[in-house]
Amino acid sequence: MKHTKESAQLLKAGQDKKKGRTWAGSLIILGGTGLLILLMAFSITKGAAEIPLSVIGDVLFRFDSMNTQHLIIVDLRLPRVIASAMVGAAFAVAGAIMQGITRNPLADSGLLGLNAGAGFALSLCFAFFPGMGYMQVIFFSFLGAALGAALVNGIASMRRGGATPMRLVLAGAAVSALLIALSQGIALYFDVAQDIMFWTVGGVAGSNWVQIKIMTPWIVGALLGAMILSRSISLLSLGEEVAKGLGLNTLTISMLCSLIVVILAGASVAVVGAVGFVGLIIPHIVRYLVGVDYRWIIPSSAVMGALLMVLADLGARRLNPPFETPVGALIAVVGVPFFLYLARRQKRAL
């Protein structure tokens, strides 16, 4: 009788915990989306020229092409905040997927060579194909991200015991250093350092409607694909043997997830450059709040990643006006201590 009562209490506690996670996920998605809209609107009003919040309404309903403030919003600030939100969501979801399918808490597109690979491909584009269209640039970014990921996984898997979390990070650091050095060498030799510098430090200042038009289908499609695969990612995060036992085709799911990560990272780097740690920080925070179900982790990561990137871009403009601080540097201020904390917890896996 006592055992039955204890079991019932445990069952009720589990149901309450699950219900709490569901509420947390719903609050992040709905409340976070509302907060994101407000933050984007506020961000549009801030910059070298202060613009009243009421002007945004005028732009939406009574746009005047002769009004300087209207042109600043439409041509400069609106594409900037939209790009920030989309790229933040993409980096965060890419990190969440990587952490889920590899069971590596240190996984991030910046730490595992994808960003450096995409940046290397961009340096080749600027050096050898200076007139290349933006669609082709994104395609090369995909190839570069895939190259970086393949090199890191190949090097980390060479030792006995396979690609442990710490080995992946060490291999990612080595490959990233190599690819960044090659990118800088190409930039100096072919005199395209000015073009490459923006992608090296990371930022959304150069975002425009052409870039948004081209990258939107890729990023939105990849995010939808991640949502469709979210249940399978949850199973894969339990371990490959467990997932196979539950009837999951682990090879197919892993390949599809890897393709989605390459698209998200490649498209994002082509727009904002090498911004790291978004995909490391956000999934850990989200997993703490909503649990281990990727049906909640992926949409929640997208919302919180967008919030982080828009907030970082706003801080980049407001920290030292009229100059801009690189967005990648601001996020690294938080990301590096967070990474060191996680690495300390994983030191035994080396």
Side-chain angles (χ1 to χ4, degrees):
M1 187 73 179
K2 183 180 179 181
H3 179 72
T4 304
K5 186 176 180 181
E6 289 177 351
S7 299
Q9 289 176 343
L10 289 172
L11 180 61
K12 186 177 183 301
Q15 290 174 340
D16 291 342
K17 187 176 181 179
K18 184 178 180 180
K19 187 177 180 180
R21 301 286 195 185
T22 302
W23 273 106
S26 301
L27 181 62
I28 290 172
I29 295 170
L30 298 177
T33 301
L35 181 60
L36 176 63
I37 293 171
L38 293 175
L39 185 60
M40 290 173 70
F42 179 74
S43 180
I44 287 172
T45 66
K46 301 300 177 183
E50 297 285 335
I51 297 176
L53 197 60
S54 59
V55 176
I56 297 176
D58 295 335
V59 170
L60 294 176
F61 301 107
R62 295 182 298 276
F63 176 71
D64 181 4
S65 61
M66 303 300 292
N67 188 310
T68 303
Q69 289 185 332
H70 288 199
L71 291 175
I72 290 174
I73 290 175
V74 172
D75 293 337
L76 298 176
R77 296 191 184 172
L78 190 56
R80 180 172 184 152
V81 296
I82 291 174
S84 297
M86 292 183 65
V87 166
F91 276 135
V93 170
I97 294 173
M98 292 172 72
Q99 291 172 19
I101 64 174
T102 64
R103 303 183 69 196
N104 180 2
L106 301 176
D108 171 66
S109 61
L111 295 174
L112 300 190
L114 277 79
N115 292 2
F120 175 65
L122 287 173
S123 67
L124 293 176
C125 290
F126 283 116
F128 297 106
F129 311 103
M132 181 177 288
Y134 189 69
M135 186 66 188
Q136 288 75 32
V137 169
I138 283 190
F139 179 72
F140 270 88
S141 293
F142 294 157
L143 294 180
L147 171 66
L151 287 173
V152 169
N153 281 280
I155 293 172
S157 302
M158 290 175 66
R159 286 187 60 184
R160 181 178 297 178
T164 63
M166 282 302 295
R167 286 177 190 167
L168 279 168
V169 171
L170 292 174
V175 169
S176 295
L178 172 63
L179 293 176
I180 290 171
L182 290 174
S183 300
Q184 293 176 346
I186 290 170
L188 292 173
Y189 186 81
F190 291 95
D191 197 24
V192 291
Q194 287 292 100
D195 298 319
I196 299 297
M197 185 56 64
F198 172 75
W199 273 269
T200 302
V201 298
V204 292
S207 303
N208 56 58
W209 289 113
V210 174
Q211 292 178 335
I212 291 173
K213 182 180 178 181
I214 294 174
M215 80 170 183
T216 297
W218 291 101
I219 291 181
V220 172
L223 291 176
L224 291 175
M227 285 296 302
I228 293 170
L229 295 174
S230 59
R231 182 178 179 275
S232 298
I233 298 172
S234 295
L235 296 178
L236 202 54
S237 68
L238 299 174
E240 190 171 343
E241 294 301 321
V242 174
K244 285 181 178 178
L246 294 171
L248 188 69
N249 188 335
T250 56
L251 179 60
T252 301
I253 296 300
S254 295
M255 291 179 65
L256 288 173
C257 288
S258 298
L259 178 62
I260 288 172
V261 168
V262 166
I263 290 173
L264 292 172
S268 299
V269 172
V271 176
V272 303
V275 177
F277 298 108
V278 177
L280 178 71
I281 300 170
I282 296 300
H284 279 280
I285 296 173
V286 169
R287 201 177 293 110
Y288 175 78
L289 295 173
V290 306
V292 296
D293 189 345
Y294 275 78
R295 289 174 294 183
W296 288 108
I297 289 175
I298 286 176
S300 300
S301 294
V303 172
M304 291 192 67
L307 277 169
L308 175 61
M309 198 68 183
V310 172
L311 186 62
D313 177 52
L314 178 61
R317 281 179 278 159
R318 303 299 296 172
L319 191 62
N320 186 30
F323 306 102
E324 285 197 22
T325 305
V327 172
L330 278 183
I331 296 178
V333 169
V334 179
V336 170
F338 193 83
F339 166 73
L340 293 175
Y341 165 72
L342 293 176
R344 183 177 177 81
R345 292 175 58 185
Q346 292 292 318
K347 61 182 179 180
R348 292 182 180 178
L350 185 60

